[in-house]
Amino acid sequence: MGRSFIVGSAAMLLATATALAQSAPAGHQPGEESAVLAAMDRYMHAISARDLRTMAAMQTPDGMTYVARPKEGGGLEIVGRPNSYWVDPARAEGPALRERYWSPTVLLRGPIAVVWAPYEFWTDGKTSHCGVDVFDLVKIDGEWRVSNAMWTVEPDACNELRPADASQLRPAG
């Protein structure tokens, strides 16, 4: 056997192994990615409706959130809050909210999942900002719940981040 045959065979094996690894990641569970995204959609609907009861039921009480946003005068501010902050009854009133995301990347293994996606946030029907959401979910008693979250607030990034095809927006409606 010639050297080129061995190199060519090794390259073909590497390409095949890479394709298999990408198409069937370790720990992949058919249907669970859809279940994770369905949970994300329900959570986004709850945020938009200020449905604090549903939000509380869908998150772990001891989780945390972190927001990375521009500081006035330059730089970046990171603010962390417990999940309970977002479901405080004092937050039930206020302007109309809407949050939608698209092109989600879901990483999943067993009872844990991560969803990474660009998003747009509206206040009173007008774009407030865009950014990237990262949600950690955990499956408890058969239900996917938000355990931790973080997101960027990027007021000037909407043109860059918005999908070319509005049919990609989630949740629908």
Side-chain angles (χ1 to χ4, degrees):
M1 282 190 242
R3 185 176 195 285
S4 62
F5 175 79
I6 293 171
V7 170
S9 296
M12 188 177 357
L13 284 171
L14 180 59
T16 302
T18 301
L20 286 172
Q22 290 172 346
S23 65
H28 180 71
Q29 300 138 350
E32 281 303 303
E33 184 173 319
S34 294
V36 167
L37 290 175
M40 281 298 305
D41 290 351
R42 283 192 311 277
Y43 197 71
M44 291 295 162
H45 275 301
I47 289 171
S48 296
R50 288 187 187 267
D51 183 349
L52 305 182
R53 182 175 296 168
T54 296
M55 287 175 63
M58 290 189 69
Q59 61 189 30
T60 60
D62 53 350
M64 287 292 295
T65 63
Y66 293 92
V67 181
R69 62 177 167 229
K71 267 169 100 167
E72 221 174 283
L76 190 64
E77 173 183 46
I78 308 290
V79 178
R81 293 189 171 105
N83 283 350
S84 59
Y85 171 85
W86 303 102
V87 297
D88 185 311
R91 300 186 57 77
E93 301 298 321
L97 306 176
R98 185 165 194 199
E99 183 169 357
R100 294 180 81 187
Y101 68 101
W102 54 90
S103 304
T105 297
V106 178
L107 302 175
L108 176 64
R109 182 151 182 114
I112 64 170
V114 175
V115 177
W116 184 102
Y119 76 95
E120 186 166 1
F121 194 83
W122 291 266
T123 304
D124 284 334
K126 295 181 181 167
T127 297
S128 166
H129 62 274
C130 292
V132 172
D133 277 335
V134 180
F135 282 84
D136 296 332
L137 292 96
V138 62
K139 194 169 191 180
I140 300 171
D141 297 329
E143 298 291 324
W144 286 102
R145 298 185 189 192
V146 174
S147 58
N148 299 298
M150 61 183 166
W151 58 92
T152 62
V153 173
E154 302 178 56
D156 300 324
C158 290
N159 288 337
E160 171 192 347
L161 290 172
R162 277 191 192 116
D165 179 4
S167 70
Q168 293 181 18
L169 294 172
R170 299 181 69 112

